[in-house]
Amino acid sequence: MNRKVVEIAGRELSLSNLNKELYPSCGFTKANVLEYYGRIAEYILPHLKDRALTLKRYPDGVEKEYFFEKRCPAYRPHWVETAEIRRDDNEQMTVCLVNNLETLLWVENLASLELHVPLAKKNSPETPDAVVFDLDPGEPANILDCARVALILRDVLSRLQLASYPKTSGQKGMHVFVPLNSPQVTFEDTKKFSKAVAVIMQKKYPDLVTAKMAKEERRGKVFINWSQNDSAKTMVCVYSLRGREKPSVSFPLEWQELKDLTGQGNPEKLQVMYSKAVSRVGKQGDLFREVLVKEQRLPHL
């Protein structure tokens, strides 16, 4: 069956092109994508809640062209929640909010394999809930080097009495989140802090880390992208699929697990596929839940 109508919470949703292979190399169809998001919904929805969604759509699968969509499509069902946000050019823009299962599945029916959200919620767009350290490897560095930097970063932050939580990007890099959940913090604060930490690490580990934006500075090193701490930027949401050859997931790891996997020296071990993601959350729950609730204060560096 290539199309079906489902009812969720009393709302009718028409699902189409269910047999289309969105990950052709492994025969992973749109029906499989919808099933994955349905099973992971309990864990991803709290991280999407009340955040302006940017859709990354792959209408013809990961081997063909994709596009980003920040505006909530005008043909959305009447029950999709939206918010009005102000862009850099001061223009108002209507964005989608994915606050329930039916909206999540509607979005996935649009082949939005990746879900990207800002670090702030709609009612406080200039107040980030966390600091993020986006670790991006410059070839020939890889995710193992990112993991090594993440482990060093954990120790640096721990000395500053800050708890941190790692997740894979689902691609080549890693993300380290430092939850704040404080109404007093601003993006100016978080960007200044993240850049200061990145510069300190660059000075201490010059062969491994760079805080410089220029592409030529990144070769063989891990770029700590402190600039992601900005109200105009988004990050791929934890538990989101990624548009790679295979359906990998941006997935949280425990620090000891990350250390053990890094010691094995196999970068593939740090990639979490969709089936493992569903299995892991079923056994362990949301390893990223503290990012939503833990309150911390940034020190002055």
Side-chain angles (χ1 to χ4, degrees):
M1 185 183 295
N2 205 25
R3 175 185 290 272
K4 71 175 179 178
V5 176
V6 297
E7 186 175 304
I8 304 169
R11 290 162 175 167
E12 226 175 57
L13 185 59
S14 178
L15 305 176
S16 60
N17 298 318
L18 296 175
N19 297 335
K20 181 180 280 189
E21 293 187 345
L22 297 182
Y23 294 85
S25 70
C26 54
F28 201 75
T29 65
K30 187 196 272 191
N32 297 135
V33 169
L34 287 161
E35 180 187 14
Y36 168 75
Y37 275 107
R39 295 178 70 183
I40 210 76
E42 176 185 349
Y43 308 97
I44 193 172
L45 284 172
H47 298 278
L48 293 169
K49 185 175 174 58
D50 289 337
R51 295 179 195 272
L53 178 70
T54 296
L55 297 79
K56 190 176 182 184
R57 296 175 60 181
Y58 293 79
D60 296 307
V62 297
E63 295 179 357
K64 301 291 178 66
E65 291 187 6
Y66 63 83
F67 62 95
F68 287 94
E69 191 167 15
K70 287 184 175 289
R71 291 183 183 276
C72 197
Y75 51 81
R76 63 187 178 269
H78 67 88
W79 41 259
V80 170
E81 291 181 63
T82 61
E84 297 295 318
I85 64 170
R86 195 170 294 281
R87 304 195 320 176
D88 290 342
D89 59 9
N90 220 28
E91 182 188 350
Q92 287 283 105
M93 180 168 61
T94 303
V95 295
C96 299
L97 302 176
V98 179
N99 289 345
N100 51 51
L101 175 60
E102 53 269 36
T103 304
L104 177 60
L105 295 185
W106 172 73
V107 163
E108 291 315 314
N109 192 54
L110 300 178
S112 179
L113 302 181
E114 297 189 9
L115 304 175
H116 295 249
V117 287
L119 292 166
K121 292 186 176 181
K122 64 168 177 114
N123 290 336
S124 49
E126 298 301 325
T127 305
D129 299 319
V131 181
V132 68
F133 294 89
D134 182 3
L135 309 182
D136 183 18
E139 292 184 353
N142 60 25
I143 195 170
L144 286 171
D145 298 291
C146 291
R148 294 182 187 106
V149 171
L151 289 163
I152 296 168
L153 188 55
R154 173 198 59 175
D155 294 339
V156 170
L157 294 167
S158 181
R159 288 196 289 273
L160 296 171
Q161 298 185 322
L162 289 171
S164 56
Y165 301 85
K167 72 178 177 78
T168 67
S169 71
Q171 298 197 56
K172 297 178 180 178
M174 294 205 67
H175 304 146
V176 176
F177 275 67
V178 179
L180 300 173
N181 297 302
S182 166
Q184 282 78 39
V185 74
T186 67
F187 276 105
E188 183 180 357
D189 299 329
T190 56
K191 186 178 286 188
K192 187 183 297 183
F193 175 80
S194 58
K195 185 175 183 180
V197 171
V199 168
I200 289 167
M201 288 189 62
Q202 176 183 264
K203 287 180 180 176
K204 195 162 184 182
Y205 304 96
D207 296 330
L208 180 61
V209 173
T210 182
K212 297 178 181 176
M213 302 285 289
K215 291 279 189 184
E216 59 270 18
E217 298 287 346
R218 303 188 200 179
R219 181 164 176 77
K221 299 180 182 181
V222 174
F223 171 46
I224 300 180
N225 189 355
W226 46 268
S227 72
Q228 285 296 122
N229 295 282
D230 190 290
S231 62
K233 299 288 184 69
T234 62
M235 299 289 296
V236 69
C237 189
V238 65
Y239 304 117
S240 172
L241 290 173
R242 299 308 304 263
R244 305 188 76 202
E245 181 185 1
K246 296 179 180 178
S248 58
V249 177
S250 180
F251 198 82
L253 301 172
E254 294 176 315
W255 281 115
Q256 186 58 51
E257 176 188 16
L258 182 61
K259 184 176 181 180
D260 293 344
L261 290 173
T262 305
Q264 293 177 28
N266 181 355
E268 289 301 312
K269 295 277 189 180
L270 286 165
Q271 296 295 350
V272 178
M273 294 296 119
Y274 74 96
S275 55
K276 186 177 179 182
V278 170
S279 173
R280 287 277 307 263
V281 295
K283 294 173 184 174
Q284 297 175 288
D286 180 8
L287 292 177
F288 232 48
R289 57 187 173 272
E290 287 295 305
V291 172
L292 297 174
V293 296
K294 191 172 184 64
E295 296 179 10
Q296 300 187 106
R297 296 185 66 178
L298 287 179
H300 294 287
L301 295 182

